[in-house]
Amino acid sequence: MKNIILTAAVASIALVSCGTVQSLVQNTFPYTANVLISTGVPANKEVSSTATASNVQTWFGGNNNAKIKDVRISDAKVSVVTPSGGNLSAFKSIKVYISSSGTGERLVASRTNISTDASSLTLDLENSGFLDEVVKSTGVTVRTVYELKNQTSSDMNLRIALNFSSIPAN
């Protein structure tokens, strides 16, 4: 009986410590891209803007040699950079896709029915699968598809900030 209790206690401690170690070594890394919204962009029409993003090569020495796996989107935010004091009230919807050389485009975040006058907004995440192949490749691009409720009175510069999480590969 003592052996069963002792074995159960050791197994419990081992499982808890493995989970703790895994969370300690889990990586989080950001991607950012800038999007220019020109004054002439029409309202009630989806418009697309593509930008090159900083990518995993910056963080892990990439070219698909990054020792990470199980990459998922963990946070996505859009913020007004300029004009100073600008807000997102002109937007109806925003969708963010990522792709890279040799990979298909993947929707990672979006928000529809935007009704805020804040200068930043957290987007809803699309976590339907792992993004290892995309983020570990070269030439990562972020495509932002947006629709305005009404035209902006001046050019607007947005920053799309995406955070990804991963675990170390064996």
Side-chain angles (χ1 to χ4, degrees):
M1 185 66 158
K2 285 183 178 180
N3 285 341
I4 292 173
I5 294 172
L6 183 59
T7 303
V10 169
S12 296
I13 291 169
L15 289 173
V16 169
S17 66
C18 286
T20 303
V21 169
Q22 183 175 4
S23 69
L24 288 175
V25 296
Q26 186 171 17
N27 300 306
T28 301
F29 52 95
Y31 280 60
T32 57
N34 291 318
V35 177
L36 175 65
I37 312 298
S38 298
T39 307
V41 172
N44 299 313
K45 180 181 177 189
E46 280 195 343
V47 178
S48 177
S49 174
T50 303
T52 302
S54 64
N55 59 29
V56 77
Q57 285 82 354
T58 306
W59 299 93
F60 298 104
N63 292 338
N64 218 12
N65 293 325
K67 303 295 185 209
I68 58 173
K69 67 177 184 174
D70 298 347
V71 178
R72 289 188 179 273
I73 181 96
S74 60
D75 183 55
K77 185 181 252 186
V78 60
S79 304
V80 177
V81 177
T82 58
S84 178
N87 65 55
L88 297 166
S89 63
F91 287 87
K92 186 185 284 188
S93 66
I94 298 173
K95 298 174 192 167
V96 180
Y97 298 85
I98 65 166
S99 62
S100 62
S101 303
T103 68
E105 191 172 68
R106 302 274 302 268
L107 175 67
V108 292
S110 65
R111 180 64 74 97
T112 56
N113 300 321
I114 296 172
S115 60
T116 184
D117 60 357
S119 62
S120 65
L121 176 68
T122 300
L123 302 175
D124 300 323
L125 304 179
E126 175 57 47
N127 258 327
S128 62
F130 295 120
L131 302 166
D132 299 28
E133 183 180 318
V134 178
V135 300
K136 289 169 60 174
S137 296
T138 58
V140 174
T141 57
V142 173
R143 185 169 74 95
T144 305
V145 177
Y146 60 90
E147 186 175 352
L148 299 175
K149 294 178 206 171
N150 46 46
Q151 283 187 315
T152 60
S153 58
S154 65
D155 287 353
M156 184 180 289
N157 192 8
L158 303 179
R159 172 169 288 128
I160 307 297
L162 306 174
N163 287 309
F164 295 87
S165 63
S166 67
I167 60 173
N170 297 334

